[in-house]
């Protein structure tokens, strides 16, 4: 039987040689293999061949949903939530959440947050004390009941 | 059908003949997108050079023993990337520029994601940058956008990008099974409620009162993710419907979760017959001038149309 290819072949087409086609097909297959391996057994560490695990977890109907934030006392005497993004204190909330354990063990890591804020907003009140806070929202039968409960995980007196 | 025929057909599937013009358009769009990405999405790489405190190198960075980010190397990376992207986008010296952009941008993203959080929207873009320079350019510069000569090396690049776009969805469905210990519990779970509580905004807070709607969305989402590979074999209008569905999916995700996935969205262009843009434009212009010229242009248009659906 005749080989049918995608679309019609035309005289002007630039064809690949045996080696060129073989190498390309092999590279594509290895790539697909790496992707499958990543999804089945690897972690985010294997980027870009890691699993596509964003929002992939099954959250039970009675889950406690935690949300980590940093609260700051300023030298103007106010208490504010630190804006956890690049423009705010130069560090993203996801980074703080991913490193919570380390920050609890070594609260001095929070110094970077105060430095980032002071550098980006030299005209705004400085942070004098930072608190890493975890808010917990309780689900009952898949619905949110009541406001979140805060818990302080780490405290850091900012160095000048 | 013999085994040999099957193997040949499979190999041909990976290397369809596609016009160089589509590669030219893809180069321009993706290299310019990289510049946007560096400022809008993976934008904290230089900042990490200033504060490497939370730096935690990923596997690739450890394998190649990449140096820790510093102000000097991240600034150099920035300058080199901008320059190489602008050159590559012009389709003059696109291969030299492309071979610079691919490793440089990979490193850029590796640093950006080396803080304990990895995003999953960059697969297709990063792979596209690595495969684009493998195509030997036909015509250069402006002429490249209407280069209707077809090549199998161009087709392989397009196929690789298409596969990565689709893999982004299909593998997300796999990850949802895996995280539940290989069980289908995700679509009935409270995952969207969880996501909205953590990133509150008006649309989401309204949806929190109607969990059944969130469950419907979860079922639609995971079903579409599982079926996404079908799009690779759809043709013409049906493929367009598939693409539009997923663009709508991203619009909904942006509204509900504030997650845009633009680096993947832009790679959907690999499915678009962009080689038809210049002939279409010429045809339109020709219809305003004399008839003989118009016929000539229409001929070009037909030629381009035959390649659609690849």
């Amino acid at each position: 039987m005749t080989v049918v290819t995608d679309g019609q072949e035309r005289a002007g087409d630039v064809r690949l040689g045996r080696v060129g086609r073989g190498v390309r097909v092999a590279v594509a297959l290895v790539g697909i293999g790496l992707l499958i391996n990543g999804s089945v057994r690897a972690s985010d560490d294997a980027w870009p061949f890691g699993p596509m695990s964003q929002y992939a977890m099954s959250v039970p109907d009675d889950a406690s949903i935690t949300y980590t934030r940093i609260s700051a006392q300023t030298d103007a005497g106010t208490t504010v939530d630190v804006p956890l993004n690049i423009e705010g204190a130069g560090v993203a909330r996801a980074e703080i959440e991913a490193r919570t354990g380390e920050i609890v063990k070594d609260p001095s890591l929070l110094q970077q947050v105060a430095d980032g804020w002071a550098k980006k907003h030299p005209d705004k009140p400085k942070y004098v004390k930072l608190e890493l806070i975890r808010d917990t929202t309780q689900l009952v039968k898949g619905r949110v009941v009541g406001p979140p409960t805060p818990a302080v995980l780490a405290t850091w007196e900012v160095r000048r | 059908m013999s085994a040999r025929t099957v193997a040949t057909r499979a190999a041909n599937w990976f290397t369809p003949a596609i016009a160089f013009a589509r590669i030219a358009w893809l180069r321009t769009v993706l290299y310019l997108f990289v510049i946007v990405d560096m400022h809008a999405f993976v934008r904290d790489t230089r900042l990490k050079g200033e504060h490497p405190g939370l730096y935690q190198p990923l596997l690739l960075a450890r394998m190649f023993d990449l140096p820790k980010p510093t102000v000097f190397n991240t600034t150099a990376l920035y300058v080199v990337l901008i320059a190489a992207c602008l050159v590559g986008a012009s389709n003059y010296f696109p291969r030299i520029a492309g071979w610079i952009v691919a490793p440089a941008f990979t490193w850029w993203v590796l640093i950006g994601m080396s803080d304990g959080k990895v995003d999953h929207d960059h697969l297709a873009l990063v792979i596209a940058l690595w495969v684009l320079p493998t195509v030997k350019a036909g015509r250069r510069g402006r002429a490249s956008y209407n280069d209707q000569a077809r090549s199998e090396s161009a087709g392989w690049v397009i196929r690789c990008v298409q596969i990565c776009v689709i893999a982004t969805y299909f593998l997300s469905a796999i990850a949802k099974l895996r995280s539940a210990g290989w069980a289908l519990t995700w679509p009935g779970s409270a995952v969207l409620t969880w996501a909205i509580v953590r990133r509150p905004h008006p649309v989401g807070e309204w949806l929190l009162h109607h969990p059944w709607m969130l469950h419907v969305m979860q079922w639609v989402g995971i079903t579409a993710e599982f079926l996404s590979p079908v799009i690779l074999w759809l043709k013409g209008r049906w493929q367009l419907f598939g693409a539009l569905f997923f663009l709508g999916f991203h619009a909904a995700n942006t509204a509900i979760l504030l997650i845009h996935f633009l680096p993947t969205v832009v790679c959907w262009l690999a499915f678009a017959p962009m080689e038809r843009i210049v002939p279409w434009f010429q045809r339109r212009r020709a219809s305003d001038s004399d008839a003989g010229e118009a016929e000539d242009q229409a001929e070009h248009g037909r030629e381009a149309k035959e390649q659609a659906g690849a």
Side-chain angles (χ1 to χ4, degrees):
Chain A
M1 79 169 270
T2 51
V3 176
V4 185
T5 56
D6 264 351
Q8 314 92 318
E9 272 182 44
R10 283 213 312 268
D13 291 354
V14 185
R15 307 293 308 271
L16 283 165
R18 274 182 85 85
V19 177
R21 186 190 312 272
V23 169
R24 281 174 172 81
V25 172
V27 168
L29 291 176
V30 168
I32 292 171
L34 284 172
L35 282 173
I36 293 173
N37 171 70
S39 280
V40 173
R41 2 177 300 185
S43 69
D44 271 345
D45 191 36
W47 184 91
F49 295 103
M52 303 288 164
S53 50
Q54 241 165 349
Y55 293 90
M57 61 288 177
S58 298
V59 176
D61 277 352
D62 58 351
S64 304
I65 303 172
T66 59
Y67 176 81
T68 310
R69 61 192 168 92
I70 296 175
S71 174
Q73 285 172 24
T74 69
D75 58 6
T78 52
T79 301
V80 293
D81 261 1
V82 177
L84 290 178
N85 50 48
I86 310 293
E87 289 75 23
V91 59
R93 181 181 320 280
E95 294 182 38
I96 296 296
E97 299 202 318
R99 312 296 286 268
T100 298
E102 279 162 69
I103 296 171
V104 170
K105 264 185 239 157
D106 178 12
S108 75
L109 287 170
L110 290 175
Q111 179 69 31
Q112 190 171 314
V113 174
D115 292 346
W117 171 262
K119 189 169 169 202
K120 285 185 175 284
H121 307 276
D123 48 336
K124 298 264 175 69
K126 305 270 178 294
Y127 296 156
V128 291
K129 186 179 167 196
L130 295 173
E131 285 182 326
L132 182 68
I133 296 177
R134 175 179 286 160
D135 285 334
T136 306
T137 304
Q138 186 61 44
L139 288 190
V140 175
K141 292 184 182 158
R143 283 176 181 267
V144 174
V145 287
T149 326
V152 178
L153 303 180
T155 307
W156 178 246
E157 303 275 350
V158 176
R159 280 191 303 253
R160 292 279 140 168
Chain B
M1 213 186 313
S2 72
R4 202 186 161 82
T5 323
V6 172
T8 313
R9 284 186 65 161
N12 285 340
W13 183 82
F14 281 102
T15 55
I18 286 182
F20 283 118
R22 198 186 301 192
I23 298 290
W25 282 106
L26 206 56
R27 278 186 171 131
T28 300
V29 174
L30 294 188
Y31 290 138
L32 292 180
F33 184 85
V34 166
I35 297 178
V36 174
D37 194 325
M38 290 164 64
H39 296 95
F41 311 132
V42 186
R43 60 195 163 149
D44 54 350
T45 300
R46 289 174 74 195
L47 205 71
K48 295 212 162 81
E50 290 170 29
H51 305 283
L54 291 176
Y55 180 68
Q56 211 178 32
L58 293 171
L59 179 65
L60 264 185
R62 299 196 302 275
M63 270 169 66
F64 292 94
D65 209 9
L66 296 178
K68 215 174 162 154
T70 61
V71 173
F72 174 76
N73 65 23
T74 54
T75 306
L77 204 51
Y78 178 83
V79 174
V80 167
L81 263 172
I82 299 281
C85 281
L86 289 175
V87 173
S90 76
N91 275 297
Y92 287 102
F93 308 103
R95 300 186 77 190
I96 299 172
W99 285 125
I100 295 170
V101 173
F105 187 64
T106 305
W107 191 14
W108 178 272
V109 180
L110 269 174
I111 295 173
M113 295 187 184
S114 288
D115 51 38
K117 179 179 179 274
V118 171
D119 293 330
H120 303 97
D121 54 358
H122 272 72
L123 171 68
L125 179 61
V126 167
I127 299 300
L129 297 178
W130 280 98
V131 290
L132 273 174
T134 64
V135 183
K136 200 168 180 175
R139 294 200 238 157
R140 307 204 305 166
R142 280 189 61 180
S144 63
Y145 300 109
N146 193 24
D147 190 345
Q148 300 296 341
R150 308 195 310 176
S151 133
E152 291 179 335
S153 62
W156 179 74
V157 167
I158 295 297
R159 199 59 101 196
C160 288
V161 181
Q162 292 176 341
I163 292 170
C164 289
V165 168
I166 295 301
T168 304
Y169 305 105
F170 183 72
L171 296 178
S172 324
I174 300 296
K176 290 174 177 104
L177 295 185
R178 178 183 166 189
S179 79
W182 301 107
L184 185 63
T185 56
W186 186 88
S189 82
V191 63
L192 282 182
T193 300
W194 175 86
I196 293 168
V197 166
R198 288 169 43 86
R199 288 180 103 165
H201 59 99
V203 179
E205 284 182 70
W206 179 78
L207 283 167
L208 281 185
H209 299 295
H210 308 280
W212 67 271
M213 280 194 194
L214 296 173
H215 283 140
V216 170
M217 289 180 201
Q218 285 164 215
W219 275 107
V220 171
I222 198 168
T223 307
E225 284 172 351
F226 265 118
L227 293 178
S228 59
V230 172
I231 292 177
L232 288 172
W233 284 275
L234 293 180
K235 301 255 182 221
R237 187 168 301 175
W238 292 105
Q239 195 173 55
L240 178 65
F241 286 147
L244 290 178
F245 173 86
F246 275 99
L247 296 183
F249 173 82
H250 286 299
N253 274 342
T254 309
I256 298 164
L257 301 176
L258 309 176
I259 289 179
H260 55 74
F261 260 61
L262 279 177
T264 305
V265 169
V266 73
C267 290
W268 272 101
L269 282 176
F271 287 93
M274 292 185 287
E275 58 274 20
R276 292 199 226 161
I277 294 174
V278 175
W280 176 83
F281 198 72
Q282 287 174 339
R283 216 163 43 240
R284 256 182 71 119
R285 217 173 36 183
S287 66
D288 295 338
S289 57
D290 73 79
E293 218 179 293
E295 215 165 80
D296 186 44
Q297 303 293 354
E299 181 58 35
H300 276 278
R302 260 198 297 282
E303 214 170 280
K305 211 163 188 171
E306 281 171 20
Q307 304 185 3

